[in-house]
Amino acid sequence: MSTTLPGGEYKLAEDLTVTRMGYGAMQLAGPHVFGPPKDHDGALAVLREVINLGITHIDTSDFYGPHITNQLIKEALHPYPEQLRIVTKVGATRDEKGNWPQALAPHELRQAIHDNLANLGVEALDVVNLRVGGLSEPTPGSLAEPFGVLAQLQQEGLIKHLGVSNVAAEQIAEAQSIAPVVCVQNFYNIANRQDDALIDSLAKQGIAYAPFFPLGGFSPLQSDALSGVATRLNATPMAVALAWLLQRSPNILLIPGTSSVDHLRENVAGAGLQLPEDAIEELNGIAV
């Protein structure tokens, strides 16, 4: 097992320390995150390589598949290594067409927690993120009722720590008025930097920020600019995107996903790229 990963570790709570280089398990399910994977054994191999590389943070959800991804994690890794922390999310479900309707009613959230517990094979979940927004941006409104349900489940001992996903700053503050928040998961990358001020605020509070879609939402011109920097550094655009995120703020946790062992290794190596100042300045200039 490797003990040196890009970015080192981040402590979210007294009993919650993870490697900043994590792994997002969404892509382990079938096409469009629906149904079983085409290569079952290959999916298990990816998860086992995550552990071999020393990664201690796996991001997942029971609505990936649905149920498939968590079942794969359990099959590949249970009983889990002592240092591994599995972060899951609730607040959506899947319909028969593979859509992602919200599922924020109290009974839906309770069922989701019990499904996660069963499919992961654990008695308590390390971290549960409440997803309240759309796929790429927050949806205005109160999250008090659904977050309160999770806080109650935390009091019952089924959840150790709570986080929020696809949220605005005021929604995070509302959640914090109900129970401690250890992490935020939002859409953010080099080209989409609406959360810059939020990331800095969370860093001061010791709250982790896990951006998703590191290459999502780029315009053609932005993609060209990123590719130009990558070519100059003899690296891939993904490596540059991950390295930029890791160097952006010490509270940023990376959760890139892949269903390939080789790609997983490339992501880990790429995140360790040290970007020179001129490259960072050029990359900072492509934000919308």
Side-chain angles (χ1 to χ4, degrees):
M1 176 183 289
S2 170
T3 56
T4 55
L5 285 167
E9 294 182 328
Y10 188 80
K11 186 176 182 178
L12 297 84
E14 284 301 317
D15 62 339
L16 184 62
T17 297
V18 298
T19 51
R20 291 182 64 205
M21 184 72 210
Y23 169 70
M26 184 175 73
Q27 294 184 30
L28 292 182
H32 309 294
V33 202
F34 203 65
K38 294 181 180 178
D39 182 358
H40 180 90
D41 290 345
L44 300 183
V46 170
L47 288 163
R48 289 168 181 151
E49 184 64 10
V50 165
I51 302 304
N52 289 338
L53 290 169
I55 292 170
T56 63
H57 174 199
I58 292 179
D59 178 81
T60 186
S61 175
D62 207 59
F63 53 70
Y64 295 162
H67 314 306
I68 299 295
T69 296
N70 280 354
Q71 291 168 358
L72 289 167
I73 291 171
K74 179 182 177 182
E75 181 180 354
L77 303 179
H78 195 280
Y80 300 114
E82 183 179 352
Q83 291 183 313
L84 180 64
R85 300 293 178 261
I86 300 175
V87 179
T88 189
K89 67 185 71 64
V90 296
T93 186
R94 305 300 296 278
D95 62 22
E96 64 277 1
K97 295 181 180 179
N99 296 317
W100 306 72
Q102 279 195 332
L104 294 171
H107 73 278
E108 292 174 314
L109 293 171
R110 285 184 172 274
Q111 185 61 54
I113 294 303
H114 285 286
D115 287 346
N116 274 278
L117 290 167
N119 287 314
L120 288 171
V122 296
E123 294 183 355
L125 299 166
D126 291 322
V127 185
V128 175
N129 285 323
L130 176 68
R131 195 191 98 169
V132 293
L135 287 178
S136 62
E137 62 184 9
T139 300
S142 173
L143 51 64
E145 181 183 50
F147 196 77
V149 172
L150 296 188
Q152 178 60 43
L153 291 165
Q154 183 182 37
Q155 291 296 315
E156 294 173 15
L158 300 181
I159 302 171
K160 297 178 183 177
H161 299 282
L162 297 173
V164 284
S165 177
N166 292 32
V167 287
E170 56 270 21
Q171 292 171 318
I172 298 170
E174 183 181 32
Q176 289 176 300
S177 72
I178 299 169
V181 171
V182 300
C183 58
V184 173
Q185 188 178 112
N186 276 6
F187 176 45
Y188 178 83
N189 57 39
I190 294 171
N192 297 272
R193 299 183 57 182
Q194 295 89 337
D195 274 1
D196 269 339
L198 176 61
I199 289 170
D200 295 338
S201 172
L202 293 173
K204 292 176 182 177
Q205 300 176 64
I207 296 173
Y209 183 96
F212 55 82
F213 297 152
L215 291 179
F218 280 63
S219 72
L221 285 177
Q222 290 166 334
S223 294
D224 288 346
L226 174 61
S227 296
V229 172
T231 298
R232 194 166 73 245
L233 298 177
N234 194 28
T236 65
M238 177 62 97
V240 173
L242 293 176
W244 181 88
L245 285 168
L246 207 57
Q247 292 169 231
R248 164 63 181 82
S249 181
N251 66 323
I252 286 183
L253 309 180
L254 303 184
I255 49 170
T258 179
S259 58
S260 159
V261 169
D262 288 342
H263 191 205
L264 171 66
R265 293 170 180 158
E266 289 172 9
N267 285 343
V268 172
L273 177 69
Q274 290 301 307
L275 298 174
E277 282 300 320
D278 62 333
I280 292 175
E281 289 180 11
E282 184 174 347
L283 293 166
N284 287 345
I286 74 172
V288 295

